[in-house]
């Protein structure tokens, strides 16, 4: 039994590249800015630019491009669904169409400029294709960006960065240290819980439980007797862990020192400057293309 | 010195489910000692060990660690630093994602400056022979290695005492021997007092002193050899015999002159060699 084996999103590949050496806070902010920027763009042609941005960035990560693209595999079905649904359901000029013989239609004139939506007619429209492309590009870019970030930033660095960025919210009562501590413990316990899960599944299979059920509902039912012991186990582990933390003088974030200090370098300032110029240019083109 | 004066502990005090886990226990443990605390499940040994680390305060009596009272809120962090604690399950006591961060967790909580933390990591890794695994993820280590990481992270706080609550019970024989060897070395070379809480008879002879707990009471405090030589007492405390003594017992019954209680494999070998040597007319 191997759960979570093929997922590279959220995995960390240690290294010493440009991206690895960047300050995690800068990486996180750049990631957020770029993703927001992608959502502000409304033409898929314009999305090619941020896509190329992340392709170049992945060369700066020192990780093989094929390995990174493998991380996209689990998202492929979503991308396909998004593409197909959008291309079929967007009204517009049909490119490909198929009308079942039994169907009747309210508008018979299909050569007209924009035919009315026909319930029985299955048509791929130009607008739909355009929009489908656009949505899939967006998804691909977001997944690529996120996996690049997690591949080059260790979980501890991510939580440190989040803690440090959330510190701005402390005056309004945001528990920055607590949130970061919870996240890092959650990440640390993923392998432990996976191991528990596998053990429980094996124990139940050895007693005749069937996890190869056909329907989704049956499959979900199979997992109830697995999840209950898993949760009980998790609560017990959490209890033990909190005692072990207390035994080593843990008393919250105040006055705690960290092993690693985050330090911004020329890499971070240079990339931030580049991203700023890049986004400004993109927004300019977007505005420009709209006005014509 | 860890000093327990007439210590008692109740779970769910003043409720219908009240349960006395420890009753009227007194002992003193000096710096540099190696003490084994032996007892069956529910004998109160874990409760007592948690008191020495100020995780719980005694319901009655006082527990002092180098003169600091574990019931005193102001002193508990100093007590926890002085008397480090290692637990049974390696998986639920490791907090961080890499070995070095795990070791830095304790000193970080004490607010130590970064350079000093790095020095402590180097030192602890060296003492535990874990240099190779500095940046490894604890999840990929074996049980014995994980327990060594747990000990290393306690060592980083420079404790005078280390209390280990059944540290070997989830390990395989190799891991168990690694841990026991490490503890002996820490005790001998670093002068750290070890308090090993266990249910295994074989571990009873690790230390020079043994505390036996039964139903919340301290029933024996002294040398392990003397205790196990007294069959009536071990039966009264329902303690088993170490394997080597069981073998000696069988040999005695078959007429081999094994002498009295046999505490260790080396001792047994010496005695058998002496008998053989006499027969062959030379010393082996």
């Amino acid at each position: 039994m191997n759960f979570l084996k093929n997922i590279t999103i959220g995995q960390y590949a240690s290294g010493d590249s440009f991206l690895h050496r960047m300050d995690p806070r800068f990486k996180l902010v750049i990631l957020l800015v770029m993703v927001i920027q992608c959502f502000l763009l409304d033409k898929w042609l314009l999305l090619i630019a941020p896509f190329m941005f992340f392709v170049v960035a992945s060369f700066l990560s020192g990780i093989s491009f094929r390995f990174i693209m493998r991380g996209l595999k689990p998202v492929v079905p979503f991308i396909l669904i998004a593409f197909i649904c959008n291309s079929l359901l967007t009204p517009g000029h049909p490119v490909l169409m198929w009308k079942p013989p039994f169907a009747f239609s309210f508008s018979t004139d299909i050569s007209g400029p924009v035919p009315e939506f026909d319930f029985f007619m299955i048509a791929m429209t130009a607008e739909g294709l355009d929009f489908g492309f656009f949505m899939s590009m967006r998804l691909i870019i977001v997944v690529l960006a996120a996996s690049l970030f997690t591949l080059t930033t260790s979980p501890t660095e991510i939580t440190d960065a989040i803690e440090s960025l959330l510190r701005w919210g402390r005056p309004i009562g945001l528990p920055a240290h607590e949130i970061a501590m919870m996240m890092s413990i959650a990440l640390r316990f993923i392998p432990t819980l996976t191991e528990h899960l596998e053990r429980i599944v094996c124990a139940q299979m050895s007693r005749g439980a069937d996890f190869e059920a056909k329907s989704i509902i049956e499959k979900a039912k199979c997992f109830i007797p697995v999840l209950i012991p898993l949760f009980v186990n998790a609560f017990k582990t959490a209890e033990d862990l909190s005692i072990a933390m207390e035994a080593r003088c843990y008393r919250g974030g105040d006055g705690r020192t960290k092993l690693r200090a985050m330090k911004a370098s020329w890499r971070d300032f240079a990339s931030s400057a580049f991203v700023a110029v890049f986004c400004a240019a993109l927004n300019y083109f977007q505005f420009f293309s709209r006005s014509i | 010195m860890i000093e327990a004066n007439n210590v008692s502990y109740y779970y769910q005090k003043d409720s219908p489910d009240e349960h006395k886990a420890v009753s009227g226990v007194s002992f003193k443990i000096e710096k540099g000692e190696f003490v084994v605390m032996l007892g069956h499940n529910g004998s109160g040994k874990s409760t007592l060990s948690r008191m020495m680390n100020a995780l719980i305060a005694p319901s009655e009596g006082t527990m002092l660690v180098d003169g600091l009272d574990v019931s005193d809120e102001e002193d508990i962090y100093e007590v926890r630093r002085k008397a480090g604690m290692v637990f049974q399950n390696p998986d639920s006591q490791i907090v961080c994602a890499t070995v070095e961060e795990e070791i830095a967790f304790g000193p970080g909580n004490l607010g130590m400056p970064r350079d000093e933390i790095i020095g402590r990591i180097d030192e602890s890794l060296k003492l535990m022979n874990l240099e190779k695994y500095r940046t490894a993820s604890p999840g990929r280590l074996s049980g014995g290695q994980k327990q060594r990481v747990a000990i290393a992270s306690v060592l980083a706080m420079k404790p005078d005492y280390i209390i280990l609550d059944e540290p070997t019970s989830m390990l395989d024989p190799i891991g168990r021997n690694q841990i026991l060897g490490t503890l002996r070395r820490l005790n001998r070379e670093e002068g750290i007092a070890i308090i090993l809480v266990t249910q295994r008879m074989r571990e009873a002879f690790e230390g020079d002193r043994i505390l036996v707990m039964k139903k919340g009471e301290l029933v024996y405090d002294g040398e392990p050899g003397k205790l196990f030589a007294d069959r009536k007492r071990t039966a009264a405390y329902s303690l088993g015999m170490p394997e080597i003594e069981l073998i000696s017992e069988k040999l005695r019954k078959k007429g081999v002159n094994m002498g009295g209680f046999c505490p260790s494999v080396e001792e047994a070998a010496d005695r058998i060699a002496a008998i053989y040597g006499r027969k062959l007319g030379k010393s082996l």
Side-chain angles (χ1 to χ4, degrees), chain A:
Chain A
M1 300 296 292
N2 248 321
F3 295 97
L4 306 171
K5 193 178 135 202
N6 292 317
I7 299 178
T8 55
I9 308 172
Q11 247 182 37
Y12 173 61
S14 53
D16 199 25
S17 69
F18 183 92
L19 279 190
H20 282 92
R21 285 194 193 181
M22 267 179 74
D23 186 323
R25 289 170 295 182
F26 280 79
K27 271 192 274 189
L28 186 57
V29 171
I30 288 175
L31 171 74
L32 289 175
V33 167
M34 286 304 291
V35 167
I36 292 168
Q37 179 63 60
C38 285
F39 279 83
L40 289 176
L41 297 175
D42 55 7
K43 289 268 184 318
W44 69 266
L45 259 168
L46 281 173
L47 279 175
I48 292 175
F51 179 73
M52 288 316 289
F53 174 91
F54 285 113
V55 169
V56 172
S58 54
F59 281 110
L60 283 176
S61 74
I63 303 164
S64 85
F65 195 64
R66 270 172 70 193
F67 184 77
I68 298 170
M69 290 319 273
R70 227 173 39 202
L72 287 176
K73 243 188 210 166
V75 240
V76 167
F78 294 100
I79 295 172
L80 279 178
I81 290 170
F83 180 73
I84 293 168
C85 287
N86 279 309
S87 59
L88 290 180
L89 296 175
T90 314
H93 297 84
V95 188
L96 261 174
M97 56 184 290
W98 179 66
K99 197 173 173 182
F102 57 82
F104 57 91
S105 169
F106 296 112
S107 76
T108 40
D109 182 17
I110 41 168
S111 58
V114 180
E116 269 169 64
F117 182 68
D118 189 327
F119 193 76
F120 287 105
M121 188 173 69
I122 298 169
M124 211 172 243
T125 59
E127 286 82 355
L129 277 177
D130 193 65
F131 195 62
F133 250 128
F134 172 69
M135 291 302 281
S136 334
M137 282 282 280
R138 244 189 204 171
L139 267 173
I140 291 171
I141 293 171
V142 169
V143 174
L144 178 64
S147 40
L148 253 187
F149 175 68
T150 54
L151 277 168
T152 59
T153 321
S154 78
T156 339
E157 280 179 313
I158 298 177
T159 48
D160 280 356
I162 291 173
E163 179 175 0
S164 150
L165 292 174
L166 285 181
R167 216 170 278 158
W168 298 92
R170 262 173 102 176
I172 55 159
L174 204 67
H177 169 76
E178 284 75 9
I179 292 173
M181 187 46 102
M182 283 192 297
M183 282 184 51
S184 67
I185 289 175
L187 286 169
R188 139 87 182 85
F189 273 92
I190 290 172
T192 314
L193 289 179
T194 328
E195 210 178 284
H196 284 173
L197 177 68
E198 273 168 33
R199 211 176 299 149
I200 295 166
V201 167
C202 287
Q204 301 208 346
M205 272 173 36
S206 75
R207 283 180 283 154
D210 180 18
F211 289 97
E212 315 281 305
K214 291 109 213 146
S215 78
I216 295 175
I217 297 167
E218 266 176 69
K219 232 176 198 168
K221 271 187 189 159
C222 281
F223 271 90
I224 295 172
V226 170
L227 288 178
I228 291 168
L230 185 70
F231 271 83
V232 172
N233 233 327
F235 280 118
K236 180 151 186 353
T237 309
E239 165 99 38
D240 287 351
L241 186 75
S242 66
I243 292 173
M245 284 168 75
E246 255 191 82
R248 280 195 280 147
C249 303
Y250 180 70
R251 57 194 122 164
D254 296 327
R256 247 193 121 223
T257 42
K258 285 225 171 73
L259 177 58
R260 247 172 261 295
M262 286 175 288
K263 238 174 130 190
S265 66
W266 61 269
R267 287 181 197 88
D268 305 295
F269 297 118
S271 352
S272 312
F274 180 74
V275 168
V277 174
F278 188 75
C279 290
L282 272 176
N283 287 323
Y284 173 76
F285 278 122
Q286 160 126 319
F287 183 74
F288 182 68
S289 68
R290 215 180 263 158
S291 63
I292 43 169

Side-chain angles (χ1 to χ4, degrees), chain B residues 75-89:
Chain B
D75 290 337
I76 57 173
Y77 294 109
E78 185 55 16
V79 170
R80 286 176 188 167
R81 187 199 67 76
K82 274 178 178 292
M85 179 117 190
V86 176
F87 296 86
Q88 179 177 16
N89 188 345

Side-chain angles (χ1 to χ4, degrees), chain B residues 256-270:
Chain B
V256 182
N257 179 22
M258 283 298 288
F261 175 76
C262 193
S264 69
V265 178
E266 287 74 23
E267 179 68 33
D270 285 346

Side-chain angles (χ1 to χ4, degrees), chain B residues 40 212 214-215 219 230-239:
Chain B
H40 293 293
V212 180
K214 195 186 178 190
K215 291 184 180 154
V219 290
D230 186 348
R231 282 300 167 92
K232 272 186 199 144
R233 276 191 117 155
T234 51
Y237 306 153
S238 35
L239 298 177

